[in-house]
Amino acid sequence: MKKIMALILIVVLTMSTFLVGCGSKDNDKTDNGTVTDNSTDNDTGKDVADEKEWSGTIKVQMIGSFKMEDSTDPVSGVKTKGVHLLKEEFERTHPGAKVEYVLMGWDSYQQKTQAMLMSGEADVYQVPGIASFAAQGLLEPLAPYIENENYDLEKYINGQVNGWKAMGPEDSDLEIYGVPVLGDTRVIVYDKKIFDDWGVEYLSEEPTIDEIMEKAAKMTGKNPVTGEENYGLYFRGKYASDLALNIGESLGGTWGTGFRYKDLQVNFNSEEMKKGVQYLKDAVAYAPSGILSEQGNELFLTENNNIGMTLRIGPGFLKPIYSNGLDERYGASLLFVNPEKGMGGVFEGSPCAIGKSSENKELAWEYLKFTGSEFYQQYLWDEYMAAPVLKSATEWEHIKAVPQMEVVLKAMGRLWGPRYPYRSAQPKSILASNVELALLGQATIEEALDNAQKETEEWIKEQQK
């Protein structure tokens, strides 16, 4: 067990800059640090070199903190294998083929990817902004490739394929333009010690909004054990609109309908959304005073933490708790879903797609299949602790050794898909700014959400011209 924990610690320390969410700024290693190859015929498409002789070179764009060569963290000394490992495996299983990588960070990634697609600079792209690129006709539809080979989409975590569906300029329905490659989600993280100090039962794996509020109220005040001031909960004010909508979903609400901007119908001023904002306004009473200005949670995930639970936090919470030896202290629970639809919350992560202008689409499709192999997904987990998108990940030893990951993977299978289209355009900021006004008391909840609805409907009308 000590060996497993040591290996997990090595993995989590590599996470410092690797982020997989759409615009978020928000494993099986051996003793010598190499990735164990557990691939099978169903994993990479082949466990030995393909008898077919391939030709040509494909360029693959990747977004994140990826490096081509191995690297060593100057502080921790942790070594991370470079993506040359992926290059070597793909070329081994596709003799005659060559792969070149274009690696970029998250800064201005959407604009950079747009420029690359327009100029045909690569063949395979990581496209968290897939809806925009598909709508411009810049991506290759994947249905013919999937149907031709009967490619197994069931191996992906439920909802992951559906979540990235998009519409091309000639499509009348949502289609598959990308396959999931980097997983991400949001969960609730809570401090068991603070729950114990107050004599409060730990959160359920799938808590109701009432359970959260009741337990937050019980843990706000002077801690009976330490004498320090405690707060029941915290949420990031910047993302309050997403959380309010998710709470509304738990009450039976939805964000709206449609996918193309001109066809959107939003429910920003629904009764469920109003209740969601009211819930957060009430919850502020159990939170640090700086919550709406992104302050007050500086001690969360540390030994001296003073907050019972944080709502809506990404898998990055694993790094500080494991690196500080607090992994048994912090638990994770699921966020909310619409009870009828069984899904809720912002869809997160990244898919991979083929550029429409690629001159080697057959080989590019082979690479997309490669991203869905256990070899590829284990590499991302082993080296960057990126959440896997495969159902089989639940059986990986180093996933099972991180109990919080069971909740993370479950949460990934419950995200709203296809993803909320309004979040890729102006309505995202319209809703966020109005919810902020309501929480600050600068407008009533009804005034704020009616205004968000009105502004968004006006924006939609502009898209119809």
Side-chain angles (χ1 to χ4, degrees):
M1 184 63 184
K2 288 183 178 179
K3 180 179 179 181
I4 290 177
M5 288 298 104
L7 291 172
I8 292 172
L9 178 58
I10 290 173
V11 173
V12 297
L13 288 172
T14 68
M15 292 181 61
S16 57
T17 58
F18 185 77
L19 298 157
V20 300
C22 177
S24 296
K25 297 288 178 181
D26 270 322
N27 303 46
D28 198 15
K29 275 187 179 175
T30 60
D31 288 342
N32 64 5
T34 60
V35 176
T36 304
D37 184 357
N38 294 323
S39 59
T40 68
D41 288 346
N42 292 327
D43 295 338
T44 61
K46 50 196 78 66
D47 190 37
V48 295
D50 197 332
E51 294 181 0
K52 176 178 179 176
E53 187 68 24
W54 295 85
S55 63
T57 299
I58 56 168
K59 289 187 176 181
V60 177
Q61 172 248 37
M62 297 176 70
I63 310 172
S65 60
F66 299 108
K67 292 181 174 60
M68 192 66 204
E69 302 304 325
D70 299 349
S71 60
T72 302
D73 186 278
V75 177
S76 66
V78 172
K79 296 181 179 180
T80 301
K81 289 287 183 179
V83 297
H84 69 83
L85 204 70
L86 300 178
K87 172 183 172 67
E88 291 160 7
E89 177 66 5
F90 184 78
E91 292 179 355
R92 180 187 76 82
T93 55
H94 295 78
K98 297 296 179 185
V99 181
E100 295 178 3
Y101 288 94
V102 180
L103 307 179
M104 67 169 64
W106 285 107
D107 56 302
S108 304
Y109 73 91
Q110 188 80 348
Q111 297 92 324
K112 292 176 181 177
T113 304
Q114 175 82 36
M116 290 181 67
L117 281 162
M118 295 290 288
S119 62
E121 190 174 338
D123 300 278
V124 175
Y125 297 83
Q126 182 182 327
V127 282
I130 190 170
S132 173
F133 303 134
Q136 298 175 65
L138 296 173
L139 303 180
E140 178 79 358
L142 299 183
Y145 300 87
I146 294 168
E147 293 166 5
N148 183 53
E149 296 188 19
N150 196 25
Y151 181 63
D152 182 17
L153 298 178
E154 292 300 314
K155 68 181 179 179
Y156 295 104
I157 290 172
N158 293 343
Q160 285 291 305
V161 173
N162 192 49
W164 294 117
K165 284 184 177 180
M167 295 180 72
E170 306 302 323
D171 293 333
S172 56
D173 294 305
L174 289 161
E175 301 291 348
I176 299 176
Y177 283 88
V179 292
V181 61
L182 297 176
D184 196 9
T185 189
R186 298 294 179 265
V187 296
I188 304 168
V189 175
Y190 62 95
D191 186 339
K192 296 177 183 178
K193 180 182 181 301
I194 289 186
F195 276 69
D196 288 340
D197 288 349
W198 287 90
V200 176
E201 186 178 0
Y202 297 155
L203 276 186
S204 307
E205 182 179 81
E206 190 171 359
T208 65
I209 58 175
D210 289 339
E211 177 187 343
I212 289 170
M213 192 74 84
E214 289 168 4
K215 291 179 177 178
K218 292 178 181 178
M219 297 184 294
T220 300
K222 185 172 290 187
N223 186 300
V225 176
T226 67
E228 300 293 328
E229 193 70 22
N230 280 178
Y231 304 96
L233 56 73
Y234 183 87
F235 60 87
R236 293 189 65 185
K238 181 178 180 181
Y239 299 108
S241 59
D242 291 330
L243 185 53
L245 178 57
N246 187 214
I247 293 167
E249 288 169 341
S250 76
L251 300 172
T254 68
W255 71 268
T257 59
F259 194 82
R260 296 189 193 277
Y261 293 153
K262 65 182 181 64
D263 298 325
L264 295 185
Q265 293 183 9
V266 297
N267 298 327
F268 290 167
N269 64 346
S270 67
E271 290 304 310
E272 294 86 1
M273 186 66 179
K274 291 174 183 176
K275 290 177 181 177
V277 177
Q278 183 64 59
Y279 182 93
L280 294 184
K281 195 166 185 176
D282 294 341
V284 169
Y286 309 121
S289 59
I291 185 171
L292 298 180
S293 57
E294 303 281 307
Q295 297 178 358
N297 69 330
E298 293 79 11
L299 298 178
F300 193 65
L301 304 180
T302 72
E303 183 72 36
N304 300 317
N305 174 49
N306 60 352
I307 295 172
M309 52 188 147
T310 290
L311 311 183
R312 200 178 180 280
I313 186 171
F317 76 88
L318 292 167
K319 177 192 173 185
I321 65 172
Y322 275 88
S323 61
N324 293 322
L326 302 174
D327 47 291
E328 294 185 1
R329 175 169 167 174
Y330 287 90
S333 294
L334 295 162
L335 274 166
F336 318 114
V337 294
N338 177 294
E340 181 181 340
K341 296 182 178 293
M343 58 186 184
V346 181
F347 201 94
E348 310 272 2
S350 288
C352 270
I354 300 173
K356 189 72 173 178
S357 62
S358 170
E359 296 182 357
N360 201 340
K361 292 186 175 71
E362 184 182 5
L363 191 57
W365 168 243
E366 288 293 311
Y367 193 89
L368 255 61
K369 292 191 294 182
F370 179 50
T371 68
S373 69
E374 288 209 354
F375 181 94
Y376 197 101
Q377 290 292 308
Q378 285 189 13
Y379 167 82
L380 293 177
W381 169 254
D382 292 349
E383 303 301 329
Y384 296 97
M385 215 172 182
V389 296
L390 301 179
K391 292 176 181 175
S392 60
T394 58
E395 299 304 316
W396 300 352
E397 287 304 314
H398 283 171
I399 291 285
K400 291 193 289 187
V402 182
Q404 298 88 348
M405 277 301 294
E406 181 179 358
V407 171
V408 169
L409 294 177
K410 282 183 181 179
M412 283 175 54
R414 294 155 47 106
L415 298 174
W416 196 283
R419 51 198 308 235
Y420 310 143
Y422 77 84
R423 292 189 84 255
S424 299
Q426 185 65 18
K428 175 186 176 180
S429 60
I430 292 173
L431 180 60
S433 60
N434 279 285
V435 169
E436 182 180 0
L437 290 176
L439 294 179
L440 291 171
Q442 296 177 9
T444 68
I445 294 174
E446 186 169 298
E447 288 170 345
L449 295 183
D450 282 349
N451 190 56
Q453 184 77 19
K454 179 176 177 291
E455 287 188 39
T456 300
E457 288 176 350
E458 291 174 350
W459 180 86
I460 293 170
K461 287 180 181 178
E462 287 296 315
Q463 312 313 305
Q464 296 170 346
K465 293 181 179 179

